[in-house]
Amino acid sequence: MSKNICGRFAPTPSGRMHLGNVLCALLAWLSVRQQGGRMVLRIEDLDAMRCPRQYADLLEEDILWLGIDWDEGGSKGGPRGPYYQSECAPLYEKALQKLREKGLLYPCFCSRAQLHAASAPHLSDGQVLYNGHCRSLSAEEAAQLSKIRRPADRLRVPDRTITFVDGCQGPYTESLPLECGDFLVRRSDGVFAYQLAVVADDARMGVTEVVRGKDLLSSTARQIYLFELLGYPPPHYRHIPLLLAPDGRRLSKRDHDLSLEVLRQSLPDARPLIGLLAFLCGQLPRPEPISPRELLPLFCWDNVPKENIRIPAQWYQTPPQNWNISALRNR
């Protein structure tokens, strides 16, 4: 095993995994195992109320059923824990303090309604570009507002462009002030923001490769900037295509779209599912039942498409227990 290569699967246990989560776990595992690297399972349960531990436990059972293993993390533990974000607040506070000492943080008292006002510019991912309303508050003004409302912590961004080459999507460039804006690192309710937590965790766990959905591509510039501020090299990123329903909508845990709960009740094992996913992402010429371990020598990043993938309608119209792999070969 190469100690220098480390990948991770970092799901949010707010419900059972759907097929898009499975594809991400599969590609992350194939990539790191083919390089002889270390695999980490990190449970991203920052909002503990929304992510009960029972879902994290079920998630582990689902991953093992798929034939995907990991070297450290989750309930298995390891030398770089905690592996549950809900247990990492002191570590995130240390990272926050580093930013505070650099003079880069300021309190933000804006309400959600203010942030999402009709006049606020919206980014391509639906987020709001912060207008800097609280950026120049005086210490006296901030103290007065603190008596009324608990502030969030927001990070100043410089007039700078971040450029990197994504391992799946290719070159990507983002202007921090124009396409990102000052962003939150801790919410007003005290919950640490995803951007800070994921950077602190990847740095601490020695993650060198991040495989995740292309919907998170726009957050990468912020994370690269945070890695730099905290004094760590960023990992190599690969943003994979999203799996879409036949009508083009995104899969959702809320809608139970081909969830592992349904699939595990319907299929005798995971090999038909792995084969169908491998076919959709260019790893097999036709759908064939296969395990992740059997797929390993065939895996090639060059064959993974860049554009989002629509699941064939037949998958939705036919119960999983009646999936006919041979009938799908010529589709």
Side-chain angles (χ1 to χ4, degrees), residues 34-275:
Q34 194 176 73
Q35 299 174 78
R38 173 170 54 92
M39 190 70 184
V40 171
L41 174 63
R42 184 169 73 230
I43 305 300
E44 297 199 334
D45 57 347
L46 275 171
D47 191 337
M49 294 294 290
R50 196 168 61 91
C51 303
R53 186 60 60 94
Q54 68 189 65
Y55 280 137
D57 295 339
L58 285 170
L59 188 146
E60 290 195 14
E61 293 178 14
D62 289 341
I63 296 173
L64 290 173
W65 178 81
L66 292 167
I68 293 173
D69 63 352
W70 61 95
D71 300 298
E72 59 185 86
S75 62
K76 187 174 186 177
R80 300 167 184 85
Y83 296 93
Y84 295 83
Q85 288 188 331
S86 59
E87 300 174 0
C88 295
L91 299 172
Y92 302 149
E93 183 60 53
K94 288 182 180 180
L96 201 69
Q97 184 59 28
K98 283 187 179 182
L99 301 176
R100 188 175 290 112
E101 290 171 356
K102 292 176 181 287
L104 296 174
L105 300 185
Y106 62 89
C108 178
F109 299 90
C110 296
S111 66
R112 182 178 294 272
Q114 289 172 310
L115 293 173
H116 291 267
S119 59
H122 284 66
L123 306 176
S124 58
D125 61 359
Q127 297 298 310
V128 175
L129 183 66
Y130 185 61
N131 63 10
H133 180 266
C134 294
R135 201 176 210 243
S136 53
L137 289 176
S138 67
E140 292 76 14
E141 290 171 323
Q144 286 299 317
L145 288 170
S146 294
K147 297 176 182 178
I148 304 171
R149 177 181 176 84
R150 181 177 178 176
D153 288 304
R154 197 172 285 274
L155 178 72
R156 302 174 189 271
V157 300
D159 185 5
R160 180 175 163 193
T161 297
I162 301 287
T163 298
F164 66 95
V165 178
D166 186 79
C168 190
Q169 300 299 322
Y172 183 85
T173 298
E174 183 173 300
S175 166
L176 289 177
L178 298 180
E179 300 176 78
C180 166
D182 296 349
F183 58 92
L184 293 180
V185 285
R186 184 163 57 184
R187 299 181 340 201
S188 60
D189 60 2
V191 174
F192 289 91
Y194 167 78
Q195 309 296 350
L196 179 72
V198 73
V199 168
D201 288 337
D202 283 344
R204 173 168 52 89
M205 296 174 186
V207 172
T208 61
E209 179 179 271
V210 171
V211 176
R212 59 189 183 188
K214 65 184 293 186
D215 55 326
L216 292 173
L217 180 60
S218 62
S219 70
T220 307
R222 279 168 277 181
Q223 292 169 23
I224 290 175
Y225 180 52
L226 279 170
F227 272 109
E228 178 184 301
L229 292 177
L230 295 174
Y232 299 102
H236 180 56
Y237 291 94
R238 297 183 187 272
H239 288 85
I240 65 173
L242 303 180
L243 281 185
L244 306 178
D247 60 5
R249 65 182 172 83
R250 287 179 56 176
L251 301 184
S252 169
K253 293 177 183 176
R254 186 171 54 250
D255 296 331
H256 305 292
D257 285 320
L258 295 182
S259 73
L260 263 291
E261 181 178 13
V262 172
L263 293 169
R264 287 186 62 181
Q265 292 172 355
S266 306
L267 295 172
D269 58 61
R271 296 176 79 252
L273 173 61
I274 298 299

Side-chain angles (χ1 to χ4, degrees), residues 247-319:
D247 60 5
R249 65 182 172 83
R250 287 179 56 176
L251 301 184
S252 169
K253 293 177 183 176
R254 186 171 54 250
D255 296 331
H256 305 292
D257 285 320
L258 295 182
S259 73
L260 263 291
E261 181 178 13
V262 172
L263 293 169
R264 287 186 62 181
Q265 292 172 355
S266 306
L267 295 172
D269 58 61
R271 296 176 79 252
L273 173 61
I274 298 299
L276 289 168
L277 289 175
F279 168 67
L280 285 179
C281 66
Q283 303 306 306
L284 291 178
R286 57 187 179 273
E288 297 280 4
I290 194 170
S291 71
R293 190 69 61 179
E294 293 166 335
L295 185 59
L296 197 53
L298 306 175
F299 176 67
C300 178
W301 271 114
D302 291 342
N303 295 334
V304 176
K306 294 183 179 181
E307 299 304 316
N308 292 338
I309 302 167
R310 291 200 185 198
I311 298 172
Q314 182 173 346
W315 290 27
Y316 271 72
Q317 297 164 354
T318 306

